[in-house]
């Protein structure tokens, strides 16, 4: 008995494995709100539960079979891809351009940085409500400008695909400040002598950008890609506030579709099945992305 | 020759300044519109671009009084404050063993945590809702706080472990030789060095919790518990035609974060950079 106590004390006192106990609060929360919900989500996805009733029955693969042929799911899936990869493309180009512009010192540089980064502080949902006043049909700020130049008012969000494009654009504008900061940090870490050496060797601005700046920025590219793709694929608040998935179901992301299926349509079982699909898809994209980028980085770093 | 180059340089700089100014005007335009609209009387039908000739605070009074924006701000403060404290404590203590000892268990725990960063909340919210109903956590502060903490922890663990790795391990070893117990190394040696990363995590986590919508939408369904995002969304969805009041509510919800951002800008930018380092 005494011996056991002693060895216990030695374990706590000096065995590094005992330190893992410090992760316990985090691990318990992780089990409660990540592991259990995933398992229970899989379970719910095989039922016809409506979201509140006590009674439901197992329906086998019905929900998944329905999903494969459901045009709403496919449209949301396509939109999610556009939101994710489209935003990533625009934000990377815009963020890099802004970072290049704002990396050297000149009048109003820090003012511009402040303003560009400001929307990144604001919730997606609220960004959507702010832009509502710009793209709305009646008295919208954008339509006012068109009227001023003698054009006709446009109902911007009335066509599904156009709405998807506009949401992607707004998402990119609002959050490219973060990408810009990541690239600014990357640009600052490039030693000035690299570019000086290149210009002595007779490289022009484009060559120096292509062969020095871009490879040196690769870690920054990696991070901004991963962050933007994850962010875009999670798209929820902005869709809810700009179109609530409309017109019809045309601009839903997978996340906002899950929400509508659950709250409005009371198809909790089906909603859970779509949830599992989006979960597996995003994990898949990220594993692929990480593998690819690690390989690429190794190539550049020789 | 030298003079010619410098005038070319100045001209180039002016061009940059003008471009930066134009970009800033474009980025600020949406904020200008809700600001100007929020000072208009309800009956004002002029273009959103025009600032009112006689600004009024009517819309703000309406938003605070009928829209319960004040209550929403207090609720959001409560949720954000307690969640952030727990995220900092749980995140920091978990990060210490995970960054110092690469046992198989620790590696597994770390990769599970980091994996959670990419889970879209909506994909698991239906089962989480069901679980919280069983536990009695719907419409409670503890329900929303524990859930928020769970999904904010991965980012903090990620940033804390990266930072602790940069603190020399020799410090730990010296302390052990001097007779410090291994559980005391973290509070005595590591924690005092962590101020910069704590401020980064504090800022990033506060902003993201302040801005959360999806978790709050599912857990807080009583009007009395409404947070800012929920209050704003009911302003826009419940057939409200008082556009100045909706704009005022939006301004009020953005204002606290915007003010803190303007004062502590340096730390916000540092935080974003810290979160991006691999």
């Amino acid at each position: 008995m005494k011996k056991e106590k002693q060895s216990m004390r030695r374990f706590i006192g000096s065995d590094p494995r005992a330190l893992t106990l410090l992760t316990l609060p985090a691990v318990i929360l992780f089990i409660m709100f990540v592991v259990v919900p995933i398992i229970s989500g899989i379970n719910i996805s095989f039922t016809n539960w409506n979201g509140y009733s006590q009674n439901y029955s197992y329906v086998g693969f019905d929900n998944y079979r329905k999903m494969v042929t459901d045009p709403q799911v496919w449209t949301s899936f396509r939109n999610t891809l556009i939101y994710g990869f489209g935003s990533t493309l625009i934000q990377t180009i815009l963020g890099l351009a802004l970072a290049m512009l704002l990396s050297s010192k000149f009048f109003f540089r820090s003012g511009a940085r402040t303003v560009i980064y400001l929307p990144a502080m604001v919730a997606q949902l609220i960004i959507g409500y702010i832009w509502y006043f710009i793209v709305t049909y009646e008295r919208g700020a954008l339509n006012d400008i068109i009227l001023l130049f003698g054009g006709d008012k446009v109902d911007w969000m009335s066509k599904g695909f156009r709405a998807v494009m506009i949401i992607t654009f707004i998402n990119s504008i609002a959050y490219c400040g973060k990408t810009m900061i990541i690239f600014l940090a990357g640009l600052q870490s490039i030693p000035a002598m690299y570019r000086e050496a290149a210009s002595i060797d007779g490289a022009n601005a484009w060559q120096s950008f292509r062969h020095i700046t871009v490879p040196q920025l690769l870690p920054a590219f990696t991070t901004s890609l991963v962050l933007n793709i994850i962010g875009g694929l999670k798209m929820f608040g902005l869709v809810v506030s700009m179109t609530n998935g409309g017109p019809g179901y045309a601009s839903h992301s997978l996340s906002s579709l899950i929400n509508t299926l659950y709250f409005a349509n009371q198809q909790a079982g089906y909603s859970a099945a779509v949830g599992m699909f989006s979960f597996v898809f995003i994990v898949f994209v990220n594993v692929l992305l990480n593998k690819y980028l690690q390989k690429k980085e190794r190539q550049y770093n020789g | 020759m030298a003079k010619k180059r410098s005038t070319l340089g100045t001209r180039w700089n002016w061009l940059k300044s003008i471009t930066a100014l134009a970009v800033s005007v474009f980025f600020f335009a949406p904020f200008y519109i809700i600001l100007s609209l929020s000072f208009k009387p309800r009956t004002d039908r002029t273009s959103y671009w025009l600032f009112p000739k006689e600004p009024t605070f009517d819309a703000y009074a309406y938003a605070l009084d009928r829209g319960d924006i004040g209550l929403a701000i207090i609720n959001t403060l409560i949720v954000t404050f307690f969640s952030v404290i727990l995220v900092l404590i749980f995140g920091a203590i978990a990060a210490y063993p995970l960054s110092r000892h690469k046992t198989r268990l620790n590696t597994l725990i770390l990769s599970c945590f980091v994996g959670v960063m990419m889970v879209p909340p909506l994909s698991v919210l239906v089962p989480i809702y069901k679980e919280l109903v069983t536990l009695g956590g719907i419409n409670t502060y503890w329900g929303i706080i524990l859930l928020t903490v769970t999904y904010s922890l991965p980012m903090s663990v990620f940033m804390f472990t990266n930072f602790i790795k940069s603190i020399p391990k020799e410090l730990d070893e010296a302390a052990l030789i001097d007779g410090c117990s291994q559980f005391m190394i973290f509070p005595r040696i590591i924690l005092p060095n962590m101020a910069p990363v704590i401020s980064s995590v504090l800022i990033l986590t506060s902003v993201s919790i302040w801005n959360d919508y999806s978790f709050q939408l599912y857990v807080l369904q009583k009007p009395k518990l409404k947070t800012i995002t929920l209050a704003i969304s009911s302003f826009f969805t419940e057939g409200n035609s008082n556009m100045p009041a909706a704009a005022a509510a939006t301004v009020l919800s953005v204002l606290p974060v915007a003010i803190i951002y303007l004062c502590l800008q340096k730390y916000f930018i540092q935080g974003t950079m810290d979160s991006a380092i691999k």
Side-chain angles (χ1 to χ4, degrees):
Chain A
M1 202 48 200
K2 208 176 170 191
K3 222 176 183 181
E4 234 170 59
K5 219 174 177 181
Q6 255 179 358
S7 72
M8 187 67 190
R9 193 171 295 160
R10 195 172 307 137
F11 174 71
I12 301 248
S14 55
D15 192 324
R17 279 176 301 175
L19 278 176
T20 304
L21 288 172
L22 290 173
T23 63
L24 216 55
V27 169
I28 291 172
L29 284 174
F30 177 77
I31 293 172
M32 259 177 80
F33 293 116
V34 181
V35 178
V36 172
I38 289 175
I39 296 169
S40 125
I42 295 171
N43 185 36
I44 297 172
S45 73
F46 289 109
T47 70
N48 61 4
W49 190 43
N50 62 8
Y52 52 88
S53 141
Q54 298 293 321
N55 322 311
Y56 53 86
S57 47
Y58 285 87
V59 292
F61 280 92
D62 277 10
N63 287 328
Y64 289 95
R65 225 171 280 142
K66 185 176 164 197
M67 210 164 72
V68 177
T69 53
D70 188 344
Q72 289 171 4
V73 171
W74 284 107
T75 311
S76 315
F77 181 55
R78 184 206 65 185
N79 293 346
T80 305
L81 291 178
I82 297 176
Y83 292 141
F85 294 99
S87 305
T88 305
L89 184 72
I90 303 176
Q91 288 198 38
T92 306
I93 295 172
L94 213 58
L96 181 60
L98 289 170
M100 303 276 292
L101 171 69
L102 299 177
S103 66
S104 63
K105 275 202 177 114
F106 58 85
F107 173 70
F108 197 62
R109 175 181 79 144
S110 53
R113 279 191 192 179
T114 307
V115 175
I116 292 167
Y117 192 72
L118 179 67
M121 296 291 103
V122 181
Q124 263 195 22
L125 183 88
I126 291 175
I127 288 286
Y129 288 132
I130 293 176
W131 277 81
Y132 163 84
F133 294 108
I134 295 182
V135 297
T136 184
Y137 179 68
E138 210 55 57
R139 297 175 64 207
L142 188 57
N143 279 343
D144 272 1
I145 294 180
I146 293 176
L147 286 175
L148 193 70
F149 287 100
D152 288 326
K153 283 203 280 189
V154 180
D155 195 355
W156 294 101
M157 308 310 273
S158 66
K159 291 216 175 79
F161 193 68
R162 189 163 67 199
V164 172
M165 288 305 174
I166 292 174
I167 293 173
T168 309
F169 177 74
I170 292 174
N171 181 51
S172 313
I173 294 280
Y175 298 107
C176 70
K178 274 188 190 170
T179 317
M180 175 189 78
I181 296 292
I182 294 170
F183 280 128
L184 272 172
L187 284 173
Q188 277 162 15
S189 71
I190 303 176
M193 60 177 194
Y194 283 16
R195 249 169 291 166
E196 280 160 22
S199 82
I200 290 168
D201 288 346
N204 61 29
W206 167 250
Q207 284 169 328
S208 152
F209 173 76
R210 171 71 190 79
H211 295 288
I212 293 171
T213 311
V214 171
Q216 288 287 319
L217 278 182
L218 210 69
F221 271 114
T222 313
T223 343
S224 96
L225 264 180
V226 173
L227 289 180
N228 286 329
I229 288 183
I230 296 175
L233 293 178
K234 280 183 182 174
M235 178 82 90
F236 176 57
L238 196 55
V239 177
V240 170
S241 56
M242 296 237 54
T243 59
N244 204 10
Y249 281 76
S251 65
H252 266 303
S253 67
L254 280 172
S255 288
S256 67
L257 179 71
I258 293 166
N259 184 53
T260 302
L261 289 174
Y262 178 70
F263 266 131
N265 303 8
Q266 291 164 352
Q267 296 173 299
Y270 189 42
S271 168
V274 179
M276 285 306 122
F277 169 65
S278 83
F279 176 77
V280 170
F281 172 69
I282 287 182
V283 171
F284 174 74
V285 168
N286 277 284
V287 169
L288 225 65
L289 200 66
N290 269 324
K291 278 234 168 88
Y292 172 75
L293 288 167
Q294 272 166 11
K295 201 174 114 195
K296 194 99 187 183
E297 221 161 308
R298 240 177 281 132
Q299 275 176 359
Y300 265 99
N301 296 338
Chain B
M1 181 67 192
K3 205 180 170 192
K4 200 175 173 191
R5 254 180 86 172
S6 86
T7 50
L8 193 74
T10 353
R11 224 178 264 168
W12 186 230
N13 275 350
W14 272 111
L15 201 68
K16 280 184 171 177
S17 292
I18 291 166
T19 317
L21 201 67
V23 172
S24 306
V25 167
F26 176 75
F27 273 79
F28 195 71
F31 292 96
Y32 162 76
I33 282 178
I34 56 159
L35 264 175
S36 99
L37 180 59
S38 71
F39 289 114
K40 285 182 178 179
R42 198 174 177 172
T43 47
D44 193 325
R45 301 285 297 171
T46 54
S47 165
Y48 289 147
W49 290 106
L50 299 175
F51 202 80
K53 287 203 185 79
E54 290 161 16
T56 105
F57 281 98
D58 290 357
Y60 286 92
Y62 185 95
L64 285 168
D65 182 37
R66 300 258 205 96
D68 281 338
I69 294 297
L71 181 69
I73 290 180
I74 293 171
N75 279 334
T76 315
L77 272 175
I78 294 173
V79 173
T80 308
F81 179 78
F82 288 103
S83 305
V84 167
I85 289 192
L86 289 179
V87 168
L88 286 176
I89 298 174
F90 292 172
I93 59 171
Y96 176 60
L98 297 182
S99 53
R100 277 298 190 245
H101 301 287
K102 287 235 172 326
T103 62
R104 221 184 272 165
L105 181 62
N106 286 351
T107 319
L108 176 74
I109 292 174
L110 186 60
S111 55
C112 282
F113 281 162
V114 174
V116 174
M117 282 203 278
M118 59 194 181
V119 175
L122 259 299
S123 70
V124 283
L125 257 171
V126 172
I128 287 177
Y129 176 78
K130 193 173 179 239
E131 187 185 350
L132 276 175
V133 169
T134 321
L135 296 171
I138 298 295
N139 288 322
T140 64
Y141 283 122
W142 68 261
I144 184 66
I145 288 171
L146 288 185
L147 182 58
T148 310
V149 170
T150 309
Y151 283 85
S152 311
L153 264 173
M155 185 61 157
S156 85
V157 171
F158 177 71
M159 285 169 70
F160 282 138
T161 46
N162 277 340
F163 187 85
I164 295 174
K165 274 181 202 157
S166 73
I167 301 175
K169 228 177 165 177
E170 285 74 21
L171 282 179
D172 298 34
E173 282 152 15
L176 272 179
I177 292 168
D178 287 347
C180 185
S181 116
Q182 62 167 346
F183 277 92
M184 292 313 285
I185 293 175
F186 176 71
R188 291 227 179 113
I189 314 287
I190 307 292
L191 194 60
N193 286 307
M194 280 173 67
V197 72
I198 288 176
S199 80
S200 295
V201 173
L202 177 76
I203 283 173
L204 289 186
T205 317
S206 307
V207 171
S208 86
I209 297 175
W210 183 271
N211 286 339
D212 171 49
Y213 171 60
S214 39
F215 294 126
Q216 294 166 4
L217 175 67
Y218 278 71
V219 179
L220 305 175
Q221 304 188 332
K222 262 194 205 153
K224 278 241 171 300
L225 290 169
K226 254 185 205 165
T227 52
I228 285 173
T229 41
L230 299 177
I232 302 281
S233 90
S234 52
F235 238 99
F236 278 86
T237 48
E238 282 162 9
N240 189 315
S241 61
N242 192 344
M243 283 306 153
T250 311
V251 172
L252 285 172
S253 77
V254 175
L255 211 56
V257 184
I259 290 172
I260 295 173
Y261 161 65
L262 290 177
C263 299
L264 301 174
Q265 203 186 355
K266 199 177 82 187
Y267 298 97
F268 277 82
I269 290 183
Q270 189 55 48
T272 307
M273 287 181 180
D274 286 350
S275 71
I277 296 166
K278 277 210 117 184

